[in-house]
Amino acid sequence: MNDGGLPGVPGAVARAYDAVARAYAELIPTPGGAGGPEDELDLAMVRRFAGLLPAGAAVLDAGCGAGRMISYLDALVPVAIQGCDISEGMVRQARKAHPQRRFEVAAISSLPYADGSFHGVLAWYSIIHTPAAALPEVFAEFRRILRPGGRLLLGFQAGLGPRRITKAYGQEMELTAYLHDIPKTAAVLEGAGFQIQESLSRPPTVGEGHAQGFISAQCP
């Protein structure tokens, strides 16, 4: 649900997601359940990411939304996971769902964490409001907060160019979302100091308008 912290944009994105936060939390179930948006391949990538983390790993769900991926990760491995999102409304929902976890209101381009704070960063559809030109800044932040050997998993809508969103979760909104080319995104990650472990795409399922992209990367 994050936007990369672009000048003039964070307020619009935050307001839009504040308006739909409650509906989002009610309508979009935890991954793995009936009716969820994730395909089995998507969830396999998350399980692989989780399985490579050390026991008790410190993990950040960057752009956590209402905290639905935290619910899924909690069921997979014993990790110390926390989250952040640009939307205060989404963070409020995440805190309600996970009162034992820590959440911050923050843009993914300016994270309020010390260098090397985490063993893993999950950025699950967190760059959908970040244009390609702003990805280096975001990926540099992910690299900064990860420890040596730390792991990153990106999920995003694959393709090229912007698209306009006018309605979501039963609410009218005005937002721009961006499709990201998988090889170009992987190259930007490498430029930020990551080593690419795996990158893949899958075709859209029923109800999806675009292919989905996934990149797994590691800090040296």
Side-chain angles (χ1 to χ4, degrees):
M1 304 307 140
N2 226 299
D3 62 61
L6 298 174
V9 173
V13 174
R15 286 191 298 272
Y17 281 106
D18 285 348
V20 301
R22 184 174 178 179
Y24 179 95
E26 293 174 351
L27 292 172
I28 309 299
T30 297
E38 281 81 15
D39 183 87
E40 177 54 32
L41 176 62
D42 311 358
L43 297 181
M45 292 293 291
V46 178
R47 291 194 297 269
R48 185 176 303 182
F49 165 78
L52 292 170
L53 297 170
V59 179
L60 178 67
D61 185 351
C64 65
R68 56 188 298 274
M69 295 308 296
I70 289 176
S71 298
Y72 189 66
L73 284 171
D74 269 342
L76 291 177
V77 290
V79 294
I81 187 167
Q82 56 186 289
C84 69
D85 199 274
I86 194 70
S87 164
E88 185 175 355
M90 285 290 191
V91 168
R92 190 178 302 116
Q93 294 297 322
R95 287 172 176 159
K96 181 179 178 180
H98 304 280
Q100 77 282 19
R101 302 297 189 188
R102 177 185 171 190
F103 296 92
E104 303 287 349
V105 179
I108 54 175
S109 61
S110 182
L111 295 168
Y113 309 105
D115 296 0
S117 293
F118 298 98
H119 297 93
V121 171
L122 176 66
W124 199 245
Y125 292 85
S126 304
I127 60 172
I128 62 173
H129 299 296
T130 306
L135 289 179
E137 181 182 7
V138 172
F139 294 164
E141 274 293 271
F142 292 164
R143 176 71 179 83
R144 180 186 66 78
I145 65 170
L146 278 167
R147 301 179 183 184
R151 296 183 178 275
L152 169 69
L153 177 60
L154 289 179
F156 52 94
Q157 294 158 344
L160 289 172
R163 61 189 183 88
R164 185 169 173 246
I165 298 174
T166 58
K167 187 174 183 179
Y169 315 113
Q171 302 283 335
E172 302 293 329
M173 59 165 58
E174 286 289 337
L175 282 177
T176 300
Y178 296 90
L179 306 177
H180 293 289
D181 178 79
I182 296 174
K184 290 181 179 178
T185 303
V188 177
L189 281 169
E190 289 177 328
F194 284 96
Q195 297 172 343
I196 305 302
Q197 304 297 305
E198 187 174 14
S199 63
L200 56 90
S201 66
R202 68 160 174 82
T205 59
V206 175
E208 291 179 339
H210 308 280
Q212 309 299 307
F214 307 96
I215 301 178
S216 174
Q218 186 175 23
C219 295

